[in-house]
């Protein structure tokens, strides 16, 4: 029997499994018994063990260093992070670089005046604001378009940052999206939108769910592959 961490929630209606850093995490509704949960884990034991073995073979990803010369994914393109100073904070998405301008007088013009950690946190904060604004702008329009295309309409949606998922759908028909999706190509972002919209009909990953996804996202497997292949480069 595999060891696992169990997280129960009153909002959940289905069981969810995740392997993170070689550990199994089970998310379950309160009404399921421990026996039912163990039975589910045993059914998925081969898949879980494969994921665990793969993760153990891979080195732990290092936290991103938000410093001059760091490579960032911006809408499917890798760009070099450059940092400068001017009167007001600003971000410039240029053809060959992604430039973060910190305000003059913030004490960061000279690294000796502040710790590297605080400096990186300031840069990261500016980046997060930009990603969130971009995600809000794109998703506000694209979600409406894809809702009309699929005839699947959420009650609401919000933008936030997740550590281990790109989006979510709950049983109230509310969608959430990770604003770091804006690191991926827009056609991949569209797949994630369709994926969550299809959960409005199937709040699971059943065969019927994937058939619905395939109906509205012809290249969904290619999008999944892109996210999988670049996963370690998208660590935030």
């Amino acid at each position: 029997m595999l060891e696992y961490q169990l997280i129960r929630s009153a909002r959940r209606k289905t069981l969810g499994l995740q392997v993170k850093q070689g550990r199994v995490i089970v998310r379950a509704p309160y009404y399921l018994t421990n026996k039912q949960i163990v039975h589910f884990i045993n059914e998925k034991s081969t898949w879980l063990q494969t994921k665990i073995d793969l993760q153990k073979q891979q080195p732990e990803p290092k936290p991103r260093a938000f410093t001059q010369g760091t490579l960032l994914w911006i809408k499917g393109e890798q760009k070099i992070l450059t940092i400068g100073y001017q009167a007001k904070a600003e971000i410039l998405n240029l053809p060959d670089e992604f430039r973060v301008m910190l305000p003059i007088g913030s004490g960061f013009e000279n690294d000796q005046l502040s710790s590297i950690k605080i400096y990186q946190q300031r840069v990261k904060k500016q980046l997060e604001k930009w990603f969130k604004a971009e995600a809000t702008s794109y998703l506000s329009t694209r979600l409406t378009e894809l809702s009309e295309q699929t005839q699947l309409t959420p009650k609401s949606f919000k933008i936030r940052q997740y550590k281990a998922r790109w989006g979510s759908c709950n049983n109230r028909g509310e969608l959430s999206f990770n604003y770091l999706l804006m690191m991926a190509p827009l056609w991949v972002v569209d797949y994630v939108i369709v994926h969550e919209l299809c959960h409005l009909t199937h709040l699971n990953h059943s065969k019927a769910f994937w058939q619905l996804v395939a109906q509205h996202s012809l290249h969904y497997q290619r999008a999944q592959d892109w996210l999988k292949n670049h996963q370690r480069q998208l660590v935030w």
Side-chain angles (χ1 to χ4, degrees):
M1 176 65 191
L2 294 170
E3 294 186 1
Y4 62 92
Q5 177 187 357
L6 176 60
I7 301 173
R8 290 187 181 270
S9 170
R11 293 184 175 182
R12 285 198 72 91
K13 300 299 180 182
T14 59
L15 271 169
L17 294 177
Q18 179 186 8
V19 179
K20 187 175 182 181
Q21 299 176 359
R23 296 171 57 248
V24 177
I25 300 173
V26 182
R27 292 180 169 83
Y30 278 113
Y31 65 81
L32 286 180
T33 65
N34 288 336
K35 185 177 180 179
Q36 290 173 309
I37 292 169
V38 169
H39 177 72
F40 183 72
I41 293 171
N42 287 337
E43 285 187 330
K44 302 292 184 180
S45 60
T46 301
W47 176 82
L48 289 169
Q49 191 60 59
T50 300
K51 295 282 287 185
I52 291 169
D53 293 342
L54 284 173
Q55 290 188 9
K56 286 183 176 179
Q57 291 171 11
Q58 298 173 343
E60 190 68 24
K62 295 180 180 179
R64 185 174 300 280
F66 298 95
T67 54
Q68 196 85 247
T70 296
L71 289 176
L72 294 175
W73 280 99
I74 307 294
K75 298 181 182 178
E77 297 182 2
Q78 260 195 323
K79 297 190 178 184
I80 296 174
L81 173 64
T82 59
I83 302 166
Y85 301 90
Q86 63 180 28
K88 287 186 176 182
E90 184 182 15
I91 284 186
L92 302 171
N93 185 14
L94 303 174
D96 298 317
E97 66 179 283
F98 196 75
R99 187 180 301 167
V100 175
M101 304 300 293
L102 297 175
I104 294 173
S106 60
F108 293 94
E109 297 91 334
N110 185 340
D111 287 349
Q112 294 179 349
L113 297 179
S114 60
S115 72
I116 295 298
K117 184 176 181 181
I118 295 175
Y119 169 80
Q120 290 178 333
Q121 287 175 345
R122 186 66 175 272
V123 173
K124 181 182 179 183
K125 185 176 180 180
Q126 293 298 320
L127 289 170
E128 288 174 339
K129 286 174 63 177
W130 184 88
F131 275 115
K132 188 171 184 178
E134 289 292 309
T136 300
S137 175
Y138 183 78
L139 288 166
S140 296
T141 299
R142 197 65 178 126
L143 181 58
T144 299
E145 293 172 348
L146 290 172
S147 292
E148 292 176 356
Q149 175 185 309
T150 61
Q151 295 297 297
L152 299 168
T153 305
K155 288 186 178 179
S156 64
F157 82 98
K158 61 183 177 182
I159 307 293
R160 54 170 296 183
Q161 185 181 346
Y162 287 105
K163 290 186 177 180
R165 63 174 66 181
W166 295 112
S168 69
C169 173
N170 63 29
N171 63 331
R172 297 184 299 278
E174 300 164 337
L175 305 186
S176 296
F177 295 97
N178 188 338
Y179 55 74
L180 293 181
L181 269 172
M182 302 315 291
M183 292 189 289
L186 295 182
W187 59 270
V188 174
V189 179
D190 286 353
Y191 152 69
V192 175
I193 296 173
V194 170
H195 183 113
E196 300 308 331
L197 284 172
C198 289
H199 275 313
L200 294 171
T201 300
H202 303 285
L203 200 58
N204 51 47
H205 289 101
S206 62
K207 183 178 180 180
F209 166 79
W210 287 114
Q211 288 175 338
L212 188 60
V213 171
Q215 179 182 333
H216 298 297
S217 180
L218 298 179
H219 305 292
Y220 79 92
Q221 290 179 319
R222 190 160 66 95
Q224 285 182 320
D225 288 342
W226 193 96
L227 289 172
K228 181 180 178 180
N229 293 336
H230 294 85
Q231 182 177 357
R232 300 183 69 77
Q233 299 169 324
L234 304 179
V235 174
W236 197 252

